[in-house]
């Protein structure tokens, strides 16, 4: 039995006439009759009652027609789904976001993916440090990681998406908050709230190097893993901080963002995946993320760095 036998039977059953069914199928009537006889012989039951004027279904034929339609519909849907998979429109993907992108890139990218790839199931993980994302790519818990280079790993493939400057986070009542741009050397005597040190945070290294270039070593009083905690501690008056520009999308009452004077140090954002990853839906998401960040750079990613509005 082949799928064509089932399609031929459905046509005869629906037309109740071999001649009309043959026209519908674009074949001659005698071969069609022969194919239906072969089908009945293989099943060992009579599906059709033939007369000179019309064809009627037996009870077995009626039940077989129901199942036959379901089989053909299933085969057609399988074909459509295969096309969607090949086009990257179906699948499941786990995405990791470094802390500073959790409040800007994660919501923007998620909205775009929901609109353009609604059949792709998303598993989102925010506030992840770069080393944890690398581990997630290796153990399979992540498929794509938006992280901070450098990452030197021959089993991973990285692509830099953008470079963003560091900005200052200050308590709202801090004297430097009145400035349009903060000279980095003016933070020399300030206590700092920082991301984790000891090579756990790429941003920590970037901040430390920027301060050294400005002539001082930051006086780190608090180290935290989450961006939201860092900004909250600054708002509470426990210190100042330097963060990537995209963190400005996180609004916390009592904290303000100010650009650094001159040409501030920058930090890269990259997307990483396993070197052997070739899933079509992963490629589509990479394409959309790159397009989104390119458009964001053209439009201006950062919002005004004035005092934040209260949440909610």
């Amino acid at each position: 039995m082949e799928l064509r036998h089932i399609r031929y039977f459905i046509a005869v059953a629906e037309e109740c006439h071999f001649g009309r069914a043959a026209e519908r199928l674009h074949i001659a009537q005698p071969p069609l009759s022969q194919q239906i006889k072969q089908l009945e012989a293989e099943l060992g039951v009579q599906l059709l009652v033939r007369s000179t004027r019309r064809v009627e279904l037996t009870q077995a034929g009626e039940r077989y027609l129901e199942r036959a339609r379901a089989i053909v519909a299933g085969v057609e849907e399988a074909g459509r789904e295969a096309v969607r998979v090949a086009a990257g429109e179906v699948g499941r993907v786990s995405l990791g976001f470094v802390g500073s992108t959790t409040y800007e890139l994660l919501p923007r990218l998620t909205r775009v993916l929901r609109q353009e790839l609604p059949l792709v199931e998303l598993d989102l993980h925010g506030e992840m440090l770069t080393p944890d994302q690398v581990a997630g790519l290796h153990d399979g818990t992540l498929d794509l990681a938006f992280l901070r280079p450098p990452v030197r790993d021959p089993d991973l493939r990285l692509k830099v998406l953008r470079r963003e400057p560091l900005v200052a986070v200050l308590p709202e009542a801090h004297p430097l908050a009145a400035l349009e741009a903060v000279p980095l050397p003016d933070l020399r005597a300030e206590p700092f709230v920082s991301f984790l040190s000891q090579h756990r945070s790429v941003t920590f290294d970037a901040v430390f190097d920027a301060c050294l270039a400005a002539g001082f070593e930051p006086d780190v009083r608090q180290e935290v893993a989450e961006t939201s905690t860092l900004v909250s501690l600054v708002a509470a008056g426990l210190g100042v901080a330097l963060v990537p520009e995209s963190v400005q999308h996180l609004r916390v009452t009592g904290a303000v963002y100010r650009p650094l004077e001159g040409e501030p140090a920058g930090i890269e954002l990259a997307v990483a995946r396993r070197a052997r990853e070739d899933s079509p839906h992963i490629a589509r998401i990479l394409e959309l993320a790159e397009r989104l960040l390119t458009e964001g750079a053209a439009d201006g990613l950062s919002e005004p760095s004035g005092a934040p509005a209260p949440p909610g």
Side-chain angles (χ1 to χ4, degrees):
M1 185 188 304
E2 299 177 13
L3 185 61
R4 61 186 172 87
H5 291 104
I6 297 175
R7 294 186 185 276
Y8 290 171
F9 168 74
I10 292 174
V12 173
E14 291 179 347
E15 297 294 339
C16 294
H17 194 278
F18 274 93
R20 290 193 297 270
E23 291 178 3
R24 169 173 157 181
L25 295 168
H26 305 290
I27 62 174
Q29 181 173 334
L32 175 59
S33 299
Q34 187 63 30
Q35 294 291 328
I36 298 301
K37 288 179 181 179
Q38 289 178 3
L39 176 62
E40 290 177 315
E42 181 159 345
L43 293 174
V45 297
Q46 184 178 2
L47 300 174
L48 302 169
V49 177
R50 301 152 175 86
S51 68
T52 56
R53 293 187 177 182
R54 61 180 287 113
V55 175
E56 295 182 353
L57 290 168
T58 64
Q59 287 188 342
E62 290 177 354
R63 179 58 60 88
Y64 192 76
L65 177 60
E66 294 177 9
R67 297 301 183 97
R69 284 169 169 162
I71 290 170
V72 171
V75 170
E76 291 174 350
E77 176 57 30
R80 289 190 291 269
E81 185 169 352
V83 171
R84 290 194 294 266
V85 170
E89 297 175 357
V90 177
R92 183 181 185 277
V93 62
S94 180
L95 306 176
F97 296 82
V98 75
S100 53
T101 63
T102 300
Y103 306 96
E104 177 250 328
L105 179 59
L106 186 155
R108 293 176 64 211
L109 181 58
T110 301
R111 285 194 296 269
V112 171
L113 292 177
R114 291 296 186 203
Q115 293 171 359
E116 301 206 19
L117 299 175
L119 298 180
V120 173
E121 181 183 352
L122 300 178
D123 182 21
L124 306 173
H125 303 268
E127 286 285 8
M128 294 189 70
L129 294 170
T130 292
D132 296 331
Q133 293 191 71
V134 171
L137 290 171
H138 279 294
D139 64 25
T141 56
L142 290 181
D143 299 305
L144 287 175
F146 294 90
L147 44 70
R148 301 291 183 185
V151 174
R152 298 176 179 87
D153 191 320
D155 295 325
L156 301 180
R157 187 180 304 167
L158 268 72
K159 182 173 186 179
V160 175
L161 298 175
R162 73 180 178 206
R163 184 175 181 85
E164 54 186 302
L166 295 174
V167 300
V169 192
L170 306 170
E172 191 174 13
H174 196 285
L176 293 176
L179 300 179
E180 291 186 2
V182 175
L184 184 52
D186 287 3
L187 300 179
R188 178 190 307 270
E190 299 291 337
F192 270 71
V193 181
S194 168
F195 292 105
L196 297 178
S197 59
Q198 299 182 355
H199 307 291
R200 291 289 295 166
S201 167
V202 175
T203 303
F204 176 90
D205 294 337
V207 170
F208 200 89
D209 291 344
C211 292
L212 289 181
F216 70 97
E217 183 174 319
D219 180 15
V220 178
R221 302 287 182 87
Q222 297 275 346
E223 291 188 8
V224 298
E226 300 83 16
T227 305
S228 56
T229 303
L230 181 146
V231 178
S232 296
L233 292 181
V234 171
L238 298 185
V240 301
L242 298 181
V243 297
E245 185 182 44
S246 55
V247 175
Q248 293 182 115
H249 291 261
L250 171 61
R251 297 298 188 174
V252 177
T253 301
V256 297
Y257 301 93
R258 293 290 181 267
L260 296 176
E261 194 175 74
E263 296 184 6
I267 185 169
E268 292 179 332
L269 173 67
V271 61
R273 57 173 168 162
R274 290 178 287 276
R276 296 183 179 180
E277 178 61 67
D278 59 358
S279 301
H281 62 285
I282 299 293
R284 284 292 305 276
I285 292 173
L286 284 170
E287 176 188 339
L288 289 172
E290 187 171 4
R291 189 186 76 193
L292 182 67
L293 290 176
T294 301
E295 292 173 352
D299 296 338
L301 270 176
S302 302
E303 296 177 4
S305 56

